[in-house]
Amino acid sequence: NQFNCFFAKDVKTKAGHVELYTRSGILEVYALGDNGSSLKVSFGVNMNAYAGEWHLLTLVAEDSQMKLYIDKEIVKTSSMGAYTPYSSNATMYVGKLSDGSFTFNGKIVDFELMNKALSKEEIADEYNEKLVYPKPDVKLGFAKDNYTVSVGESVALDIIAEEGCEYTLSVVGDS
C-alpha cells in the first residue's frame, strides 16, 4: 500500500477532518476546514530515510504556516493558504483512517495533539525528554482501537502493559 496513516480526525468527508500520512514515503497533510476550505500539503520529505530508528515528528500550525520538525530540527515550512481550521470534538484515529484503512506500518510510541503552537525551544525540550524511549519489544497498548470522550465526560482507557513496563500517559489540552 502506498499510503501509511499516522493519524486522522473524523471521517474524510466532514469539515474538521485532518490526516497526517505518507504517500509512497513522502509526508503529507490533508484537512477539510471551515466554509469548504481545504488544505493539502506535501512536505517533500521522504520518511523512508528515517525508518528503523526512533524520531520525534512535530507539526506546528501557526500564522498561516505549517512547520515540520524531525527530532528537534525544522525540516520544512509550508503555507496553509486560505485554509480555515474547523474545531470539532470528533474521534481521533491513531495509525489509521476512520474507516480502518491505510494502517500505519511501524510503531507509534507516543502521540500528542496540543492546542497550542510549540516554539523551537519547547520542541527541543520534548525531544530531549522523550529520547529515553522506546524500549524495544515491550508491549504497551489500549484494549480498544479508539475512544470517544465528550466535553465534561471521562473514559477509562484500559491500558495493556507487560509486567515491569514503565509508561507515562500525557493528556495535553483544555481540561
Side-chain angles (χ1 to χ4, degrees), residues 3-9 12 16-23 25-33 37-45 47 57-61 65-69 76-80 83 85 97 113:
F3 290 95
N4 198 8
C5 186
F6 285 94
F7 86 93
K9 179 181 174 188
K12 201 169 187 100
H17 172 76
V18 177
E19 58 189 67
L20 176 66
Y21 60 94
T22 60
R23 181 170 48 119
I26 305 300
L27 187 67
E28 298 182 350
V29 172
Y30 173 74
L32 290 176
S37 65
S38 65
L39 170 72
K40 184 169 183 187
V41 174
S42 178
F43 288 101
V45 175
M47 296 305 293
L57 181 68
T58 309
L59 203 54
V60 176
Q65 296 283 309
M66 192 170 285
K67 298 174 187 170
L68 171 66
Y69 293 79
K76 190 87 170 187
T77 300
S78 182
S79 170
M80 292 195 302
Y83 171 72
L97 289 177
L113 186 64

Side-chain angles (χ1 to χ4, degrees), residues 125-156:
D125 289 345
E126 286 279 320
Y127 175 78
N128 292 332
E129 187 177 295
K130 294 179 184 211
L131 193 57
V132 296
Y133 60 99
K135 294 180 175 119
D137 300 321
V138 173
K139 294 191 185 332
L140 176 65
F142 297 97
K144 294 181 358 184
D145 286 339
N146 61 62
Y147 295 84
T148 302
V149 182
S150 299
V151 175
E153 294 182 352
S154 62
V155 64

Side-chain angles (χ1 to χ4, degrees), residues 105-170:
N105 182 18
K107 294 181 182 179
I108 298 174
V109 175
D110 187 22
F111 177 83
E112 294 181 55
L113 186 64
M114 300 180 182
N115 62 351
K116 71 174 218 157
L118 295 178
S119 68
K120 183 175 172 83
E121 293 77 20
E122 289 171 313
I123 292 168
D125 289 345
E126 286 279 320
Y127 175 78
N128 292 332
E129 187 177 295
K130 294 179 184 211
L131 193 57
V132 296
Y133 60 99
K135 294 180 175 119
D137 300 321
V138 173
K139 294 191 185 332
L140 176 65
F142 297 97
K144 294 181 358 184
D145 286 339
N146 61 62
Y147 295 84
T148 302
V149 182
S150 299
V151 175
E153 294 182 352
S154 62
V155 64
L157 294 179
D158 302 320
I159 296 173
I160 300 169
E162 288 182 347
E163 187 175 330
C165 174
E166 296 179 21
Y167 61 90
T168 302
L169 179 64
S170 301

Side-chain angles (χ1 to χ4, degrees), residues 47-56 70-71 107 109 127 133-134:
M47 296 305 293
N48 292 330
Y50 297 92
E53 295 180 2
W54 181 89
H55 293 281
L56 178 66
I70 297 180
D71 297 330
K107 294 181 182 179
V109 175
Y127 175 78
Y133 60 99

